[in-house]
Amino acid sequence: MTAVSVAKSPPPVSIKIDGEIAIIRLDRPAKRNALNDESVLALETAFRGLPERVKAAVLHGAGEHFSAGLDLSELIEKNLSEAIDHARFWHRAFEAIEFGRIPVVSALNGAVVGGGLELAAATHVRVAEKSAFYALPEGQRGIFVGGGGSVRLSRLIGASRMMEMMLTGRVYRAEEGYQFGFSHYVVAEGHALAKAIELARKIVGNAGLTNFALIQALPRIADGDRASGYLIESLMSAIAQDDAEAKSRMRDFLEKRGAKVAPQD
Ligand code: 1HE
């Protein structure tokens, strides 16, 4: 028997932990960070496996593009039931981001398209560089979104704009996308990662219960009926204010030690 040496491809996702912040990078720049099964599983594993001390994460892509979306070389091989499983697998992985333990800030550049846009939509704060562009080429590829886009993007940018993007192949640039809610910031080329890390540092400075309420309670309130929303809000706000951390922060302000609210750059 002859030994066959199999060249192992480098991991599609890398993780760096810097104190309370995890920096997670899509690492297939040669394929424009297209998301194959291995990448999606690695993302899920990365987000689910973060150590307790990590309180926020930053997600970005290696190279000139955040992500070219689904690795099209994989979908072509799937039958009907495999394709359903595939979408459910993406849903599970992206849920680990949107409804995970910690807030996630994404740094976007170049292509943020298809499944890459669906991934960005699962993050809580999005910082785009001027090069970022957004599209849902699924319409042109003869398919539909499968990474939770019909649920998340229809809420983020509106079902009407999502429909228009997919029907016509519209590509939005960073500045336009900013106006429509694709990103919360637009920054100069090469600055998104630093800005995302700066924002993650602010986020970890919040009380833990506030961050919990924002990522777990708020989206459910927004999705639900008003009466349930008011109920959840009253419970959540009572729980948060009862915490020693909240009481000490409020005392700090009243005793002139807390920061005032001021516009920032
Ligand atoms: C890919 C993919 C991909 C690049 N799957 N291999 N997504 C799309 O329809 C977007 C398709 N990609 C593009 O339009 C362009 O590649 C980009 C605008 C993102 C970048 O352009 P460029 O000129 O910088 O790169 P390139 O030369 O097009 O691609 C470089 C390599 O990456 C090349 O492979 P190579 O082996 O020839 O070097 C490309 O084939 C490869 N590549 N994008 C596979 N997407 C859960 S449902 C979600 C459904 C979707 O996401 S559909 C949208 C899919």
Side-chain angles (χ1 to χ4, degrees):
M1 200 194 291
T2 38
V4 181
S5 77
V6 180
K8 215 171 172 306
S9 49
V13 168
S14 71
I15 311 171
K16 209 170 85 188
I17 306 235
D18 179 8
E20 294 181 307
I21 297 172
I23 299 169
I24 298 179
R25 185 171 69 182
L26 299 169
D27 242 338
R28 292 181 82 210
K31 294 287 176 189
R32 307 312 186 241
N33 298 317
L35 298 165
N36 58 6
D37 285 358
E38 200 192 341
S39 316
V40 175
L41 185 60
L43 272 175
E44 181 181 10
T45 307
F47 278 96
R48 289 198 196 280
L50 291 173
E52 272 303 305
R53 70 173 190 281
V54 168
K55 302 283 189 270
V58 168
L59 175 66
H60 70 121
E64 286 168 15
H65 299 275
F66 175 70
S67 171
L70 173 71
D71 189 316
L72 293 167
S73 63
E74 285 199 340
L75 198 65
I76 216 162
E77 305 295 341
K78 293 194 192 323
N79 68 27
L80 205 53
S81 74
E82 287 167 345
I84 291 173
D85 285 347
H86 185 252
R88 305 291 288 168
F89 159 58
W90 277 54
H91 295 164
R92 196 188 68 208
F94 290 7
E95 282 264 319
I97 300 173
E98 185 183 17
F99 288 111
R101 190 177 56 74
I102 52 165
V104 182
V105 184
S106 52
L108 310 175
N109 62 335
V112 185
V113 307
L117 178 53
E118 295 181 278
L119 172 60
T123 66
H124 304 101
V125 178
R126 289 168 298 280
V127 180
E129 290 183 1
K130 282 194 191 308
S131 65
F133 57 94
Y134 311 99
L136 291 169
E138 286 88 338
Q140 283 56 54
R141 308 277 179 237
I143 53 175
F144 189 56
V145 286
S150 60
V151 174
R152 293 195 186 93
L153 284 166
S154 61
R155 283 165 174 74
L156 192 62
I157 58 169
S160 167
R161 192 167 304 279
M162 180 176 173
M163 194 185 293
E164 176 249 355
M165 287 176 82
M166 291 192 70
L167 285 173
T168 68
R170 177 82 172 262
V171 180
Y172 284 102
R173 293 187 175 279
E175 300 281 1
E176 293 175 298
Y178 169 73
Q179 294 167 40
F180 301 131
F182 288 86
S183 80
H184 299 99
Y185 292 84
V186 178
V187 298
E189 226 28 47
H191 287 69
L193 180 59
K195 182 72 186 174
I197 293 172
E198 175 197 321
L199 295 172
R201 290 200 199 293
K202 288 192 181 174
I203 289 169
V204 301
N206 295 339
L209 275 173
T210 301
N211 286 348
F212 172 80
L214 287 169
I215 67 172
Q216 300 298 334
L218 179 60
R220 275 134 179 152
I221 292 171
D223 275 351
D225 65 286
R226 283 173 177 238
S228 307
Y230 290 131
L231 176 66
I232 299 171
E233 182 183 285
S234 66
L235 297 175
M236 199 61 251
S237 99
I239 291 167
Q241 68 86 42
D242 192 47
D243 195 58
E245 175 74 26
K247 294 201 188 301
S248 107
R249 285 170 183 243
M250 287 186 269
R251 206 172 303 114
D252 281 351
F253 177 75
L254 294 172
E255 293 170 4
K256 314 287 182 209
R257 291 187 301 271
K260 290 189 186 185
V261 177
Q264 299 162 347
D265 290 334

